Short mmCIF file of all heavy atoms in Angstrom, two decimals:
data_model
loop_
_atom_site.label_atom_id
_atom_site.label_comp_id
_atom_site.label_asym_id
_atom_site.label_seq_id
_atom_site.Cartn_x
_atom_site.Cartn_y
_atom_site.Cartn_z
N MET A 1 0.85 -1.16 0.00
CA MET A 1 0.00 0.00 0.00
C MET A 1 0.90 1.23 0.00
O MET A 1 1.87 1.29 0.73
CB MET A 1 -0.89 -0.03 1.23
CG MET A 1 -1.76 1.19 1.38
SD MET A 1 -2.79 1.13 2.85
CE MET A 1 -3.79 -0.27 2.47
N VAL A 2 0.58 2.19 -0.83
CA VAL A 2 1.38 3.41 -0.93
C VAL A 2 0.46 4.62 -0.96
O VAL A 2 -0.60 4.58 -1.57
CB VAL A 2 2.25 3.40 -2.19
CG1 VAL A 2 3.01 4.70 -2.34
CG2 VAL A 2 3.22 2.23 -2.17
N ALA A 3 0.86 5.66 -0.30
CA ALA A 3 0.14 6.93 -0.37
C ALA A 3 1.17 8.02 -0.63
O ALA A 3 2.31 7.92 -0.18
CB ALA A 3 -0.60 7.19 0.94
N ALA A 4 0.78 9.03 -1.37
CA ALA A 4 1.70 10.13 -1.67
C ALA A 4 0.94 11.43 -1.72
O ALA A 4 -0.26 11.45 -1.99
CB ALA A 4 2.40 9.87 -3.00
N ARG A 5 1.67 12.52 -1.46
CA ARG A 5 1.06 13.83 -1.59
C ARG A 5 2.15 14.84 -1.91
O ARG A 5 3.30 14.69 -1.52
CB ARG A 5 0.28 14.16 -0.33
CG ARG A 5 0.68 15.33 0.43
CD ARG A 5 -0.16 15.55 1.65
NE ARG A 5 0.74 15.99 2.71
CZ ARG A 5 0.37 16.62 3.77
NH1 ARG A 5 -0.89 16.85 3.99
NH2 ARG A 5 1.23 17.00 4.66
N ALA A 6 1.76 15.85 -2.65
CA ALA A 6 2.67 16.94 -3.00
C ALA A 6 2.00 18.25 -2.61
O ALA A 6 0.84 18.47 -2.93
CB ALA A 6 2.98 16.92 -4.50
N CYS A 7 2.73 19.09 -1.88
CA CYS A 7 2.22 20.39 -1.45
C CYS A 7 3.24 21.45 -1.83
O CYS A 7 4.44 21.25 -1.68
CB CYS A 7 2.04 20.43 0.06
SG CYS A 7 0.92 19.20 0.71
N PHE A 8 2.75 22.59 -2.31
CA PHE A 8 3.66 23.67 -2.65
C PHE A 8 4.00 24.46 -1.39
O PHE A 8 3.11 24.91 -0.67
CB PHE A 8 3.05 24.60 -3.70
CG PHE A 8 4.00 25.64 -4.16
CD1 PHE A 8 5.04 25.30 -5.01
CD2 PHE A 8 3.89 26.95 -3.73
CE1 PHE A 8 5.94 26.27 -5.43
CE2 PHE A 8 4.78 27.92 -4.15
CZ PHE A 8 5.82 27.58 -5.00
N ALA A 9 5.29 24.58 -1.09
CA ALA A 9 5.77 25.37 0.04
C ALA A 9 6.45 26.61 -0.53
O ALA A 9 7.45 26.48 -1.24
CB ALA A 9 6.74 24.54 0.88
N PRO A 10 5.93 27.80 -0.27
CA PRO A 10 6.44 29.03 -0.91
C PRO A 10 7.96 29.23 -0.84
O PRO A 10 8.57 29.65 -1.80
CB PRO A 10 5.70 30.14 -0.18
CG PRO A 10 4.46 29.50 0.34
CD PRO A 10 4.83 28.08 0.64
N LEU A 11 8.58 28.94 0.28
CA LEU A 11 10.03 29.16 0.41
C LEU A 11 10.88 28.02 -0.15
O LEU A 11 12.02 28.22 -0.53
CB LEU A 11 10.40 29.40 1.87
CG LEU A 11 9.80 30.64 2.52
CD1 LEU A 11 10.19 30.70 3.99
CD2 LEU A 11 10.26 31.89 1.78
N TRP A 12 10.33 26.83 -0.20
CA TRP A 12 11.12 25.65 -0.54
C TRP A 12 10.73 25.02 -1.87
O TRP A 12 11.36 24.10 -2.33
CB TRP A 12 11.00 24.60 0.56
CG TRP A 12 11.27 25.15 1.91
CD1 TRP A 12 10.36 25.42 2.88
CD2 TRP A 12 12.52 25.54 2.45
NE1 TRP A 12 10.95 25.94 3.99
CE2 TRP A 12 12.30 26.03 3.75
CE3 TRP A 12 13.82 25.53 1.97
CZ2 TRP A 12 13.32 26.49 4.56
CZ3 TRP A 12 14.84 26.00 2.79
CH2 TRP A 12 14.59 26.47 4.06
N GLY A 13 9.68 25.45 -2.48
CA GLY A 13 9.18 24.78 -3.70
C GLY A 13 8.22 23.68 -3.31
O GLY A 13 7.43 23.85 -2.39
N TRP A 14 8.33 22.58 -3.95
CA TRP A 14 7.40 21.47 -3.68
C TRP A 14 7.89 20.60 -2.53
O TRP A 14 9.07 20.28 -2.43
CB TRP A 14 7.22 20.61 -4.92
CG TRP A 14 6.39 21.31 -5.95
CD1 TRP A 14 6.84 22.07 -6.98
CD2 TRP A 14 4.97 21.34 -6.01
NE1 TRP A 14 5.78 22.58 -7.69
CE2 TRP A 14 4.62 22.14 -7.11
CE3 TRP A 14 3.97 20.79 -5.25
CZ2 TRP A 14 3.31 22.38 -7.47
CZ3 TRP A 14 2.65 21.02 -5.60
CH2 TRP A 14 2.34 21.82 -6.70
N LYS A 15 6.95 20.21 -1.68
CA LYS A 15 7.23 19.28 -0.59
C LYS A 15 6.52 17.98 -0.96
O LYS A 15 5.30 17.96 -1.15
CB LYS A 15 6.68 19.82 0.72
CG LYS A 15 6.86 18.89 1.89
CD LYS A 15 6.27 19.51 3.15
CE LYS A 15 6.33 18.54 4.30
NZ LYS A 15 5.66 19.07 5.48
N LEU A 16 7.28 16.90 -1.09
CA LEU A 16 6.71 15.60 -1.48
C LEU A 16 6.80 14.64 -0.31
O LEU A 16 7.83 14.55 0.36
CB LEU A 16 7.49 15.04 -2.67
CG LEU A 16 7.59 15.96 -3.87
CD1 LEU A 16 8.51 15.34 -4.92
CD2 LEU A 16 6.23 16.23 -4.46
N GLU A 17 5.72 13.90 -0.08
CA GLU A 17 5.69 12.91 0.99
C GLU A 17 5.16 11.60 0.43
O GLU A 17 4.18 11.58 -0.32
CB GLU A 17 4.78 13.38 2.12
CG GLU A 17 5.23 14.66 2.77
CD GLU A 17 4.23 15.19 3.77
OE1 GLU A 17 3.03 14.95 3.62
OE2 GLU A 17 4.67 15.85 4.72
N VAL A 18 5.84 10.51 0.79
CA VAL A 18 5.41 9.18 0.35
C VAL A 18 5.39 8.28 1.57
O VAL A 18 6.32 8.28 2.37
CB VAL A 18 6.38 8.59 -0.71
CG1 VAL A 18 5.97 7.18 -1.07
CG2 VAL A 18 6.45 9.47 -1.93
N VAL A 19 4.32 7.53 1.72
CA VAL A 19 4.17 6.57 2.81
C VAL A 19 3.92 5.21 2.18
O VAL A 19 3.11 5.08 1.26
CB VAL A 19 2.98 6.95 3.73
CG1 VAL A 19 2.81 5.91 4.82
CG2 VAL A 19 3.17 8.33 4.31
N SER A 20 4.62 4.21 2.66
CA SER A 20 4.40 2.87 2.12
C SER A 20 4.25 1.87 3.26
O SER A 20 4.67 2.11 4.39
CB SER A 20 5.54 2.47 1.19
OG SER A 20 6.74 2.36 1.92
N HIS A 21 3.67 0.75 2.93
CA HIS A 21 3.44 -0.32 3.90
C HIS A 21 3.81 -1.63 3.23
O HIS A 21 3.36 -1.91 2.12
CB HIS A 21 1.97 -0.33 4.33
CG HIS A 21 1.62 -1.47 5.21
ND1 HIS A 21 1.99 -1.54 6.54
CD2 HIS A 21 0.94 -2.60 4.97
CE1 HIS A 21 1.54 -2.66 7.05
NE2 HIS A 21 0.90 -3.33 6.13
N ARG A 22 4.64 -2.42 3.85
CA ARG A 22 5.06 -3.71 3.30
C ARG A 22 3.91 -4.70 3.40
O ARG A 22 3.32 -4.87 4.46
CB ARG A 22 6.26 -4.23 4.08
CG ARG A 22 6.75 -5.55 3.60
CD ARG A 22 7.84 -5.33 2.59
NE ARG A 22 8.46 -6.61 2.30
CZ ARG A 22 8.92 -6.92 1.12
NH1 ARG A 22 8.88 -6.05 0.15
NH2 ARG A 22 9.46 -8.07 0.91
N VAL A 23 3.59 -5.34 2.29
CA VAL A 23 2.54 -6.34 2.24
C VAL A 23 3.19 -7.71 2.46
O VAL A 23 4.10 -8.08 1.71
CB VAL A 23 1.79 -6.31 0.89
CG1 VAL A 23 0.76 -7.41 0.81
CG2 VAL A 23 1.16 -4.94 0.67
N PRO A 24 2.76 -8.46 3.48
CA PRO A 24 3.37 -9.77 3.74
C PRO A 24 3.31 -10.66 2.49
O PRO A 24 2.30 -10.71 1.80
CB PRO A 24 2.50 -10.35 4.86
CG PRO A 24 1.89 -9.16 5.53
CD PRO A 24 1.69 -8.15 4.44
N GLY A 25 4.43 -11.30 2.19
CA GLY A 25 4.48 -12.21 1.05
C GLY A 25 4.74 -11.51 -0.29
O GLY A 25 4.82 -12.16 -1.33
N SER A 26 4.88 -10.19 -0.26
CA SER A 26 5.11 -9.46 -1.51
C SER A 26 6.59 -9.48 -1.87
O SER A 26 7.45 -9.77 -1.04
CB SER A 26 4.61 -8.03 -1.39
OG SER A 26 5.38 -7.33 -0.43
N VAL A 27 6.88 -9.17 -3.12
CA VAL A 27 8.26 -9.11 -3.61
C VAL A 27 8.49 -7.73 -4.21
O VAL A 27 7.62 -7.19 -4.90
CB VAL A 27 8.50 -10.20 -4.69
CG1 VAL A 27 9.92 -10.14 -5.21
CG2 VAL A 27 8.19 -11.58 -4.14
N ASP A 28 9.65 -7.15 -3.95
CA ASP A 28 10.00 -5.83 -4.45
C ASP A 28 10.00 -5.81 -5.98
O ASP A 28 10.58 -6.69 -6.62
CB ASP A 28 11.37 -5.47 -3.91
CG ASP A 28 11.81 -4.09 -4.32
OD1 ASP A 28 11.41 -3.14 -3.66
OD2 ASP A 28 12.56 -4.00 -5.31
N LEU A 29 9.36 -4.80 -6.57
CA LEU A 29 9.27 -4.71 -8.03
C LEU A 29 10.65 -4.61 -8.66
O LEU A 29 10.91 -5.22 -9.70
CB LEU A 29 8.41 -3.52 -8.44
CG LEU A 29 8.28 -3.28 -9.94
CD1 LEU A 29 7.66 -4.48 -10.63
CD2 LEU A 29 7.48 -2.02 -10.19
N GLY A 30 11.56 -3.86 -8.06
CA GLY A 30 12.92 -3.75 -8.60
C GLY A 30 13.61 -5.10 -8.67
O GLY A 30 14.33 -5.40 -9.63
N PHE A 31 13.38 -5.94 -7.67
CA PHE A 31 13.95 -7.28 -7.67
C PHE A 31 13.39 -8.10 -8.83
O PHE A 31 14.14 -8.78 -9.55
CB PHE A 31 13.63 -7.96 -6.32
CG PHE A 31 14.14 -9.37 -6.22
CD1 PHE A 31 15.49 -9.61 -6.02
CD2 PHE A 31 13.27 -10.43 -6.32
CE1 PHE A 31 15.96 -10.92 -5.92
CE2 PHE A 31 13.72 -11.74 -6.23
CZ PHE A 31 15.08 -11.99 -6.01
N VAL A 32 12.08 -8.03 -9.02
CA VAL A 32 11.44 -8.77 -10.11
C VAL A 32 11.92 -8.26 -11.47
O VAL A 32 12.24 -9.06 -12.36
CB VAL A 32 9.89 -8.68 -10.01
CG1 VAL A 32 9.23 -9.31 -11.22
CG2 VAL A 32 9.41 -9.34 -8.73
N LEU A 33 12.00 -6.96 -11.64
CA LEU A 33 12.48 -6.40 -12.91
C LEU A 33 13.93 -6.82 -13.18
O LEU A 33 14.30 -7.09 -14.32
CB LEU A 33 12.33 -4.88 -12.92
CG LEU A 33 10.90 -4.36 -12.91
CD1 LEU A 33 10.89 -2.84 -12.83
CD2 LEU A 33 10.12 -4.85 -14.11
N GLY A 34 14.73 -6.89 -12.13
CA GLY A 34 16.10 -7.38 -12.28
C GLY A 34 16.13 -8.82 -12.74
O GLY A 34 16.94 -9.20 -13.60
N MET A 35 15.26 -9.65 -12.17
CA MET A 35 15.18 -11.06 -12.59
C MET A 35 14.78 -11.15 -14.06
O MET A 35 15.33 -11.97 -14.80
CB MET A 35 14.17 -11.81 -11.72
CG MET A 35 14.62 -12.03 -10.30
SD MET A 35 13.38 -12.91 -9.32
CE MET A 35 13.34 -14.49 -10.14
N ILE A 36 13.83 -10.31 -14.47
CA ILE A 36 13.40 -10.31 -15.88
C ILE A 36 14.57 -9.89 -16.77
O ILE A 36 14.83 -10.53 -17.80
CB ILE A 36 12.17 -9.41 -16.08
CG1 ILE A 36 10.95 -10.03 -15.39
CG2 ILE A 36 11.90 -9.17 -17.56
CD1 ILE A 36 9.73 -9.13 -15.34
N ALA A 37 15.29 -8.85 -16.37
CA ALA A 37 16.42 -8.36 -17.17
C ALA A 37 17.51 -9.42 -17.30
O ALA A 37 18.17 -9.51 -18.35
CB ALA A 37 16.98 -7.09 -16.56
N ARG A 38 17.70 -10.23 -16.25
CA ARG A 38 18.72 -11.28 -16.28
C ARG A 38 18.21 -12.58 -16.89
O ARG A 38 18.90 -13.58 -16.86
CB ARG A 38 19.23 -11.53 -14.86
CG ARG A 38 20.01 -10.38 -14.28
CD ARG A 38 20.63 -10.73 -12.92
NE ARG A 38 19.65 -11.14 -11.92
CZ ARG A 38 18.99 -10.31 -11.12
NH1 ARG A 38 19.20 -9.00 -11.20
NH2 ARG A 38 18.14 -10.77 -10.23
N LYS A 39 16.99 -12.53 -17.43
CA LYS A 39 16.37 -13.71 -18.08
C LYS A 39 16.18 -14.87 -17.11
O LYS A 39 16.27 -16.03 -17.48
CB LYS A 39 17.20 -14.19 -19.27
CG LYS A 39 17.56 -13.12 -20.27
CD LYS A 39 16.40 -12.77 -21.14
CE LYS A 39 16.87 -11.90 -22.28
NZ LYS A 39 16.04 -10.80 -22.58
N GLU A 40 15.89 -14.55 -15.83
CA GLU A 40 15.65 -15.57 -14.81
C GLU A 40 14.18 -15.90 -14.69
O GLU A 40 13.79 -16.71 -13.85
CB GLU A 40 16.20 -15.09 -13.47
CG GLU A 40 17.70 -14.88 -13.46
CD GLU A 40 18.21 -14.25 -12.19
OE1 GLU A 40 17.41 -13.93 -11.29
OE2 GLU A 40 19.44 -14.05 -12.10
N VAL A 41 13.35 -15.27 -15.50
CA VAL A 41 11.90 -15.48 -15.49
C VAL A 41 11.49 -15.99 -16.86
O VAL A 41 11.98 -15.48 -17.88
CB VAL A 41 11.16 -14.16 -15.17
CG1 VAL A 41 9.66 -14.34 -15.21
CG2 VAL A 41 11.60 -13.61 -13.82
N GLU A 42 10.62 -16.99 -16.89
CA GLU A 42 10.14 -17.52 -18.16
C GLU A 42 9.53 -16.39 -18.98
O GLU A 42 8.84 -15.52 -18.43
CB GLU A 42 9.09 -18.60 -17.92
CG GLU A 42 9.64 -19.85 -17.27
CD GLU A 42 10.58 -20.61 -18.20
OE1 GLU A 42 10.34 -20.61 -19.42
OE2 GLU A 42 11.56 -21.17 -17.68
N PRO A 43 9.75 -16.38 -20.30
CA PRO A 43 9.26 -15.29 -21.16
C PRO A 43 7.76 -15.01 -21.02
O PRO A 43 7.35 -13.85 -20.95
CB PRO A 43 9.61 -15.75 -22.57
CG PRO A 43 10.78 -16.66 -22.39
CD PRO A 43 10.55 -17.34 -21.07
N GLU A 44 6.94 -16.04 -20.97
CA GLU A 44 5.48 -15.81 -20.86
C GLU A 44 5.14 -15.18 -19.52
O GLU A 44 4.30 -14.28 -19.44
CB GLU A 44 4.71 -17.12 -21.05
CG GLU A 44 3.20 -16.95 -20.95
CD GLU A 44 2.62 -15.91 -21.92
OE1 GLU A 44 3.16 -15.73 -23.02
OE2 GLU A 44 1.61 -15.28 -21.54
N CYS A 45 5.79 -15.61 -18.46
CA CYS A 45 5.56 -15.01 -17.14
C CYS A 45 6.03 -13.55 -17.14
O CYS A 45 5.34 -12.68 -16.60
CB CYS A 45 6.29 -15.82 -16.08
SG CYS A 45 6.01 -15.25 -14.40
N ALA A 46 7.18 -13.29 -17.76
CA ALA A 46 7.69 -11.92 -17.84
C ALA A 46 6.70 -11.04 -18.61
O ALA A 46 6.46 -9.90 -18.21
CB ALA A 46 9.06 -11.90 -18.52
N ARG A 47 6.11 -11.55 -19.69
CA ARG A 47 5.12 -10.77 -20.46
C ARG A 47 3.90 -10.45 -19.60
O ARG A 47 3.40 -9.32 -19.63
CB ARG A 47 4.69 -11.53 -21.71
CG ARG A 47 5.65 -11.37 -22.87
CD ARG A 47 5.07 -11.91 -24.16
NE ARG A 47 5.02 -13.36 -24.18
CZ ARG A 47 6.05 -14.15 -24.48
NH1 ARG A 47 7.20 -13.63 -24.80
NH2 ARG A 47 5.90 -15.45 -24.47
N ARG A 48 3.43 -11.43 -18.81
CA ARG A 48 2.27 -11.18 -17.95
C ARG A 48 2.59 -10.13 -16.89
O ARG A 48 1.77 -9.26 -16.59
CB ARG A 48 1.80 -12.48 -17.30
CG ARG A 48 1.13 -13.42 -18.28
CD ARG A 48 0.36 -14.54 -17.59
NE ARG A 48 1.05 -15.16 -16.49
CZ ARG A 48 1.79 -16.28 -16.56
NH1 ARG A 48 1.95 -16.89 -17.70
NH2 ARG A 48 2.38 -16.78 -15.48
N ILE A 49 3.78 -10.22 -16.31
CA ILE A 49 4.19 -9.24 -15.30
C ILE A 49 4.24 -7.84 -15.92
O ILE A 49 3.71 -6.87 -15.35
CB ILE A 49 5.56 -9.61 -14.69
CG1 ILE A 49 5.42 -10.88 -13.84
CG2 ILE A 49 6.12 -8.45 -13.86
CD1 ILE A 49 6.74 -11.47 -13.42
N MET A 50 4.87 -7.71 -17.08
CA MET A 50 5.01 -6.40 -17.72
C MET A 50 3.66 -5.85 -18.16
O MET A 50 3.41 -4.64 -18.07
CB MET A 50 5.99 -6.48 -18.89
CG MET A 50 7.40 -6.86 -18.46
SD MET A 50 8.07 -5.85 -17.13
CE MET A 50 8.35 -4.33 -18.01
N ARG A 51 2.77 -6.72 -18.62
CA ARG A 51 1.42 -6.28 -19.00
C ARG A 51 0.68 -5.75 -17.76
O ARG A 51 0.02 -4.71 -17.82
CB ARG A 51 0.65 -7.44 -19.63
CG ARG A 51 -0.62 -7.00 -20.35
CD ARG A 51 -1.26 -8.16 -21.12
NE ARG A 51 -0.36 -8.64 -22.16
CZ ARG A 51 0.08 -9.91 -22.27
NH1 ARG A 51 -0.30 -10.81 -21.41
NH2 ARG A 51 0.89 -10.26 -23.24
N ALA A 52 0.80 -6.47 -16.64
CA ALA A 52 0.14 -6.03 -15.40
C ALA A 52 0.75 -4.71 -14.91
O ALA A 52 0.02 -3.82 -14.45
CB ALA A 52 0.28 -7.11 -14.32
N LEU A 53 2.06 -4.57 -15.03
CA LEU A 53 2.71 -3.33 -14.62
C LEU A 53 2.24 -2.17 -15.50
O LEU A 53 1.97 -1.08 -15.00
CB LEU A 53 4.23 -3.48 -14.71
CG LEU A 53 5.06 -2.27 -14.34
CD1 LEU A 53 4.73 -1.80 -12.92
CD2 LEU A 53 6.53 -2.59 -14.48
N GLY A 54 2.12 -2.41 -16.80
CA GLY A 54 1.60 -1.37 -17.70
C GLY A 54 0.19 -0.95 -17.31
O GLY A 54 -0.15 0.23 -17.33
N GLY A 55 -0.65 -1.93 -16.94
CA GLY A 55 -2.01 -1.62 -16.49
C GLY A 55 -2.00 -0.79 -15.22
O GLY A 55 -2.81 0.14 -15.06
N LEU A 56 -1.10 -1.11 -14.31
CA LEU A 56 -0.99 -0.34 -13.07
C LEU A 56 -0.59 1.10 -13.35
O LEU A 56 -1.18 2.04 -12.83
CB LEU A 56 0.03 -0.99 -12.13
CG LEU A 56 0.38 -0.20 -10.87
CD1 LEU A 56 -0.84 0.01 -9.99
CD2 LEU A 56 1.49 -0.90 -10.10
N VAL A 57 0.41 1.29 -14.21
CA VAL A 57 0.85 2.64 -14.56
C VAL A 57 -0.28 3.41 -15.23
O VAL A 57 -0.51 4.59 -14.94
CB VAL A 57 2.11 2.59 -15.47
CG1 VAL A 57 2.43 3.96 -16.03
CG2 VAL A 57 3.28 2.03 -14.69
N ARG A 58 -1.04 2.74 -16.11
CA ARG A 58 -2.18 3.38 -16.77
C ARG A 58 -3.20 3.85 -15.74
O ARG A 58 -3.69 4.98 -15.80
CB ARG A 58 -2.82 2.42 -17.77
CG ARG A 58 -3.99 3.02 -18.54
CD ARG A 58 -4.55 2.10 -19.62
NE ARG A 58 -4.82 0.75 -19.14
CZ ARG A 58 -4.12 -0.34 -19.48
NH1 ARG A 58 -3.11 -0.25 -20.32
NH2 ARG A 58 -4.43 -1.52 -19.00
N ARG A 59 -3.52 2.99 -14.75
CA ARG A 59 -4.50 3.39 -13.72
C ARG A 59 -3.97 4.54 -12.86
O ARG A 59 -4.72 5.44 -12.50
CB ARG A 59 -4.85 2.18 -12.85
CG ARG A 59 -5.72 1.18 -13.58
CD ARG A 59 -6.35 0.15 -12.66
NE ARG A 59 -5.42 -0.50 -11.75
CZ ARG A 59 -4.76 -1.63 -11.99
NH1 ARG A 59 -4.90 -2.25 -13.14
NH2 ARG A 59 -3.96 -2.14 -11.08
N LEU A 60 -2.68 4.51 -12.52
CA LEU A 60 -2.10 5.59 -11.74
C LEU A 60 -2.20 6.92 -12.50
O LEU A 60 -2.57 7.95 -11.94
CB LEU A 60 -0.65 5.29 -11.40
CG LEU A 60 -0.42 4.22 -10.34
CD1 LEU A 60 1.05 3.83 -10.29
CD2 LEU A 60 -0.91 4.68 -8.99
N HIS A 61 -1.89 6.89 -13.80
CA HIS A 61 -1.98 8.11 -14.61
C HIS A 61 -3.43 8.58 -14.72
O HIS A 61 -3.69 9.78 -14.65
CB HIS A 61 -1.41 7.85 -16.00
CG HIS A 61 0.08 7.88 -16.04
ND1 HIS A 61 0.78 8.49 -17.03
CD2 HIS A 61 1.01 7.39 -15.18
CE1 HIS A 61 2.08 8.36 -16.79
NE2 HIS A 61 2.24 7.69 -15.67
N ARG A 62 -4.35 7.65 -14.88
CA ARG A 62 -5.76 8.01 -14.98
C ARG A 62 -6.24 8.71 -13.71
O ARG A 62 -7.12 9.56 -13.76
CB ARG A 62 -6.58 6.74 -15.22
CG ARG A 62 -8.02 7.03 -15.61
CD ARG A 62 -8.85 5.78 -15.86
NE ARG A 62 -8.18 4.86 -16.77
CZ ARG A 62 -8.16 3.53 -16.62
NH1 ARG A 62 -8.74 2.96 -15.61
NH2 ARG A 62 -7.55 2.78 -17.50
N HIS A 63 -5.63 8.36 -12.57
CA HIS A 63 -6.02 8.98 -11.29
C HIS A 63 -5.14 10.16 -10.92
O HIS A 63 -5.18 10.65 -9.79
CB HIS A 63 -6.02 7.92 -10.19
CG HIS A 63 -7.17 6.99 -10.30
ND1 HIS A 63 -7.13 5.85 -11.07
CD2 HIS A 63 -8.41 7.02 -9.77
CE1 HIS A 63 -8.28 5.22 -11.00
NE2 HIS A 63 -9.07 5.92 -10.21
N GLY A 64 -4.32 10.62 -11.85
CA GLY A 64 -3.56 11.84 -11.63
C GLY A 64 -2.20 11.69 -11.00
O GLY A 64 -1.58 12.68 -10.62
N CYS A 65 -1.71 10.48 -10.89
CA CYS A 65 -0.35 10.30 -10.33
C CYS A 65 0.70 10.45 -11.40
O CYS A 65 0.49 10.12 -12.53
CB CYS A 65 -0.22 8.92 -9.70
SG CYS A 65 -1.20 8.72 -8.21
#
């Protein structure tokens, strides 16, 4: 779970805050992307992961992130 907010601070510019929560049993996306880059993931599984990641990015953009 992740939450973020950006507020304009007149003297400092933008103030960005991000809060995250570790989900039990989850795996870091950077770790998974590294495995894909090193060809440690079956091609079909890698395609499904990348398709799901693209869908996530699309939803984040649709909601203004």
Side-chain angles (χ1 to χ4, degrees):
M1 176 181 296
V2 176
R5 119 179 140 160
C7 302
F8 186 74
L11 296 177
W12 310 105
W14 287 94
K15 177 180 175 185
L16 306 174
E17 299 174 330
V18 176
V19 178
S20 65
H21 174 74
R22 179 93 171 146
V23 176
S26 65
V27 180
D28 182 83
L29 178 60
F31 178 75
V32 174
L33 293 176
M35 290 179 64
I36 291 171
R38 293 186 302 273
K39 309 284 190 223
E40 297 173 358
V41 177
E42 293 292 325
E44 180 56 31
C45 183
R47 278 191 288 278
R48 288 195 316 265
I49 292 169
M50 297 308 288
R51 194 173 297 122
L53 179 57
L56 172 61
V57 170
R58 182 175 49 250
R59 288 194 309 269
L60 287 170
H61 281 222
R62 191 180 309 139
H63 287 87
C65 291

